Amino acid sequence: MSNLNGIAASNGIAIAKAYKLAIPDLSFEKKKVEDTQNEIDRLTEALEVSKKELEKIKEHAKVSLGDEHAEIFSAHLLVLDDPELINPIKDKIETEQVNAEVALDETAKMFIQMFESMDNEYMRERAADIKDVTKRVMAHLLNVSFPNPALIDEEVVVVAEDLTPSDTAQLNKEFVQGFTTNIGGRTSHSAIMARSLEIPAVVGTKEVTEIVNDNDLLIVDGIDGDVIINPTDDQIKVYEQKQADFEKQKQEWAKLKDEPTVSSDGQHVELVANIGTPDDVEGVLNNGGEGVGLYRTEFLYMGKNELPTEDEQFDAYKAVLEQMGEKPVVVRTLDIGGDKELPYLDLPDEMNPFLGYRAIRLCLERDDIFRTQLRALLRASGYGNLKIMFPMIATLDEFRQAKAILLEEKEKLTKDGVEVSDSIEVGIMVEIPSTAVIARQFAKEVDFFSIGTNDLIQYTLAADRMNERVSYLYQPYHPAILNLVNNVIEAAHAEGKWAGMCGEMAGDSIAIPILLGLGLDEFSMSATSILPARTQIKDLSKKELVSYKEQLLNMDTAEDVEKFVREKTNQ
Ligand code: PEP
Ligand code: MG
């Protein structure tokens, strides 16, 4: 038995055996071979096993994730059947008398390089497919096990170095009881996905993959951030009790599901949810969300091998809007980059991806991608209460350009006789300090602000949100953050606009009283945080919290702020 501590990323307790999700060591030696037929047979066998596996994964993915996500596996299957790739591998074995591993590796690399250097996007996507498939075939040649998260069919806790959003999207909630990773923080995208899937998670443990073996029994305590490896019977009993208490607490919270969010002195605020896919809407409604405050559309673009078409996007946006009815839905345009990659766009590696070519920067340059998304959104606008916001806005000029493109597409659609809503509010995310500082100027032109503290904190304190070594600097209660947030809210209100927050800070029990006192209008959080937040706000007096505002803004440190709030709100 041993314990590890990490960051509590998604509430709840999971008890199940470990399933390690790690790409195995695929290194091999170059060998001269006499019996080339034997190598060709080994290759054929590895190809066959890979094919069977991929067919199974594709079927699973179809059921659990839908046809679209399953498509990527069809593309992988095509690669395995492509004689233009397979024959040269066999030829190489015969003519150069090398082992199958070498022939596979060298031939695949040659095709990958060739496709990657082509101008044609479709061809570049094939390079990504070949890369993926080669790893699987190589694992079978080397006889090492290759993880298949989509095939998990028994209760497990997934253990990984990190989980990419597309790995997370493949996890079947029915079997995956929880997960734990070496890296990441509360605002890394794997943690965010875990919360929308309502799977308990502990991230940033630094070494869980080194300590845990497949099939070890694990307890993941997503409430306090602990991972217990091979627990004793007594520990299991303690955590089963904790699990039961948590379920009871959830039932208490659920009593407020259909109530508005009102402070003890009668002030109303809106509690809305962050979502990543149309499937998350059910969780929003079950948890009493009054709307969607952030729809992260990039997940539509991930876990597949080509850009989603206008119609695919239209279907997704329409599904969300229709299910939410009259409730507002704030859709964020594509925010790719940082820890969210799109391999098929084949963007060059960058030294500082979070400060690089991402989000609105990419969309303004690749306006073909941007326009497709905007058209899909505009077409869907008649099906509900749509608001659009642009991510990572650093300058007014960016906002003006993005809005101009939106208006151009709207005009084109209207000319073509397509119905587009006339009441779509257009806002921005405030996640870059420059924008928070001159929020007054922005407020004249935008319809609303949504403060993205996940990024705003990392940029203001210059502390990578993914790096647990500097997580001590990732301080939501830092007076600098409170002053920036206050500046944005005051600027919005001075122009009669509203200000929301869709970073994780909006659902934090220490931050909530502060934000209520600063006058935040809309709090957008993981769906599972809504009912605890509503319960908390019910007992808070907004008037009292407003009276602490100046004092809080002038404090010296985040610790001072936290201590003060804990004292005043009995936490
Ligand atoms: C944010 O930065 O606060 C935000 C909500 O966006 P994301 O977490 O997707 O970067
Ligand atoms: Mg962000």
Side-chain angles (χ1 to χ4, degrees):
M1 176 215 72
S2 54
N3 285 7
L4 272 178
N5 193 258
I7 296 162
S10 177
N11 256 343
I13 309 283
I15 307 176
K17 58 184 189 176
Y19 179 97
K20 283 176 86 171
L21 195 66
I23 296 291
D25 179 4
L26 296 178
S27 52
F28 56 86
E29 275 174 36
K30 185 167 183 165
K31 288 185 201 148
K32 194 94 186 137
V33 294
E34 299 287 325
D35 188 353
T36 52
Q37 189 54 47
N38 183 47
E39 291 306 298
I40 291 175
D41 291 346
R42 285 179 60 229
L43 176 73
T44 312
E45 161 115 29
L47 291 170
E48 281 310 312
V49 180
S50 301
K51 245 188 260 178
K52 281 198 188 116
E53 227 168 48
L54 279 168
E55 267 155 14
K56 233 162 125 187
I57 294 173
K58 190 177 132 190
E59 285 315 305
H60 270 251
K62 258 192 194 161
V63 178
S64 56
L65 304 164
D67 286 352
E68 255 177 60
H69 280 282
E71 243 175 64
I72 191 162
F73 303 111
S74 306
H76 288 184
L77 280 163
L78 283 179
V79 172
L80 289 176
D81 269 332
D82 186 354
E84 293 198 26
L85 171 74
I86 306 302
N87 290 343
I89 304 176
K90 292 180 178 166
D91 290 348
K92 200 174 187 77
I93 295 176
E94 272 180 339
T95 53
E96 296 180 24
Q97 291 192 304
V98 287
N99 47 335
E101 287 87 344
V102 172
L104 171 68
D105 182 56
E106 290 182 0
T107 314
K109 275 193 183 131
M110 195 246 322
F111 277 103
I112 291 165
Q113 254 176 16
M114 188 173 86
F115 286 146
E116 274 181 346
S117 65
M118 287 185 182
D119 251 357
N120 179 328
E121 195 160 306
Y122 177 82
M123 288 308 192
R124 288 203 304 268
E125 287 159 13
R126 300 291 76 80
D129 292 337
I130 298 174
K131 251 189 221 168
D132 265 19
V133 173
T134 311
K135 280 190 212 146
R136 181 177 298 279
V137 179
M138 188 64 86
H140 288 303
L141 276 177
L142 294 168
N143 245 334
V144 291
S145 71
F146 194 76
N148 292 309
L151 287 186
I152 294 173
D153 58 1
E154 54 182 343
E155 292 192 352
V156 294
V157 165
V158 169
V159 177
E161 169 74 12
D162 186 22
L163 283 174
T164 63
S166 63
D167 286 332
T168 322
Q170 286 188 51
L171 301 179
N172 185 340
K173 204 183 136 181
E174 195 185 330
F175 298 113
V176 177
Q177 303 293 299
F179 72 72
T180 174
T181 60
N182 288 357
I183 65 170
R186 236 191 105 72
T187 63
S188 56
H189 285 94
S190 52
I192 289 167
M193 289 285 275
R195 285 194 289 281
S196 60
L197 290 168
E198 302 189 22
I199 298 177
V202 174
V203 300
T205 63
K206 297 192 181 76
E207 50 184 359
V208 69
T209 55
E210 278 150 50
I211 296 182
V212 168
N213 295 311
D214 267 327
N215 294 324
D216 278 348
L217 186 67
L218 293 188
I219 297 177
V220 171
D221 176 354
I223 301 168
D224 288 321
D226 294 317
V227 179
I228 292 103
I229 305 155
N230 293 324
T232 61
D233 288 348
D234 283 348
Q235 278 178 314
I236 294 177
K237 269 193 204 122
V238 169
Y239 278 93
E240 280 173 347
Q241 186 57 47
K242 194 166 176 179
Q243 203 170 31
D245 292 346
F246 182 65
E247 288 306 318
K248 233 196 216 150
Q249 164 118 72
K250 282 208 309 205
Q251 285 167 13
E252 272 306 300
W253 290 331
K255 290 183 183 155
L256 291 182
K257 179 173 160 274
D258 300 314
E259 300 293 318
T261 311
V262 186
S263 63
S264 65
D265 53 342
Q267 300 292 314
H268 176 255
V269 289
E270 239 173 87
L271 287 197
V272 294
N274 297 345
I275 64 167
T277 73
D279 291 344
D280 295 341
V281 173
E282 197 186 328
V284 177
L285 297 172
N286 288 341
N287 284 287
E290 295 167 81
V292 169
L294 166 65
Y295 176 5
R296 288 185 165 93
T297 55
E298 43 282 1
F299 295 116
L300 258 173
Y301 295 69
M302 301 167 93
K304 46 192 288 158
N305 55 5
E306 59 195 0
L307 287 164
T309 62
E310 184 181 313
D311 282 346
E312 273 171 45
Q313 295 192 56
F314 167 76
D315 290 343
Y317 305 147
K318 176 170 168 259
V320 172
L321 286 163
E322 277 186 335
Q323 288 179 77
M324 292 303 295
E326 285 172 9
K327 295 182 170 135
V329 175
V330 183
V331 179
R332 170 173 81 185
T333 59
L334 181 62
D335 180 9
I336 217 64
D339 64 336
K340 292 172 288 192
E341 292 174 23
L342 285 190
Y344 57 82
L345 279 190
D346 204 25
L347 301 170
D349 284 345
E350 296 184 326
M351 294 275 281
N352 292 301
F354 273 103
L355 297 180
Y357 182 59
R358 59 174 288 201
I360 199 69
R361 302 165 185 191
L362 183 146
C363 283
L364 290 176
E365 196 183 291
R366 287 290 311 267
D367 77 334
D368 53 326
I369 298 176
F370 194 39
R371 285 176 193 272
T372 304
Q373 177 169 42
L374 295 176
R375 288 173 67 83
L377 279 168
L378 291 164
R379 282 171 53 200
S381 63
Y383 293 90
N385 182 359
L386 172 70
K387 301 173 199 291
I388 296 175
M389 68 178 171
F390 305 123
M392 296 290 294
I393 294 284
T395 66
L396 252 171
D397 191 47
E398 283 174 337
F399 172 69
R400 289 175 183 154
Q401 279 185 56
K403 185 159 176 193
I405 295 175
L406 176 72
L407 294 180
E408 273 173 33
E409 291 307 319
K410 185 178 170 197
E411 204 177 304
K412 280 191 219 159
L413 284 167
T414 314
K415 246 194 205 147
D416 292 343
V418 180
E419 216 170 298
V420 177
S421 163
D422 261 333
S423 53
I424 308 171
E425 289 184 10
V426 183
I428 57 166
M429 292 199 57
V430 182
E431 42 193 347
I432 297 183
S434 60
T435 299
V437 171
I438 63 156
R440 212 157 40 86
Q441 287 89 316
F442 275 97
K444 294 187 172 34
E445 301 191 28
V446 304
D447 294 326
F448 65 91
F449 291 124
S450 184
I451 307 170
T453 46
N454 301 344
D455 280 318
L456 185 63
I457 298 166
Q458 76 165 344
Y459 297 136
T460 305
L461 285 118
D464 182 344
R465 69 196 254 192
M466 300 286 289
N467 184 341
E468 69 281 355
R469 284 233 169 117
V470 293
S471 62
Y472 73 98
L473 280 171
Y474 194 88
Q475 300 178 1
Y477 323 131
H478 191 293
I481 300 297
L482 304 192
N483 278 276
L484 288 177
V485 168
N486 182 53
N487 200 43
V488 176
I489 298 173
E490 283 187 350
H493 291 173
E495 294 293 332
K497 312 284 169 70
W498 61 270
M501 179 179 285
C502 59
E504 289 303 310
M505 185 176 173
D508 177 299
S509 65
I510 300 292
I512 285 172
I514 305 174
L515 299 170
L516 201 59
L518 297 182
L520 191 75
D521 303 295
E522 179 233 45
F523 296 63
S524 192
M525 56 191 72
S526 309
T528 48
S529 301
I530 289 176
L531 290 170
R534 187 169 293 153
T535 310
Q536 184 188 9
I537 290 171
K538 195 164 75 73
D539 295 328
L540 294 173
S541 154
K542 179 163 174 181
K543 198 158 158 239
E544 182 192 337
L545 295 166
V546 171
S547 74
Y548 302 142
K549 176 172 152 178
E550 287 309 315
Q551 211 177 331
L552 283 164
L553 293 175
N554 287 298
M555 285 190 174
D556 292 338
T557 67
E559 290 81 49
D560 294 345
V561 171
E562 182 171 350
K563 189 161 168 272
F564 181 86
V565 175
R566 281 193 188 282
E567 270 169 26
K568 296 291 181 193
T569 59
N570 299 320
Q571 294 189 62

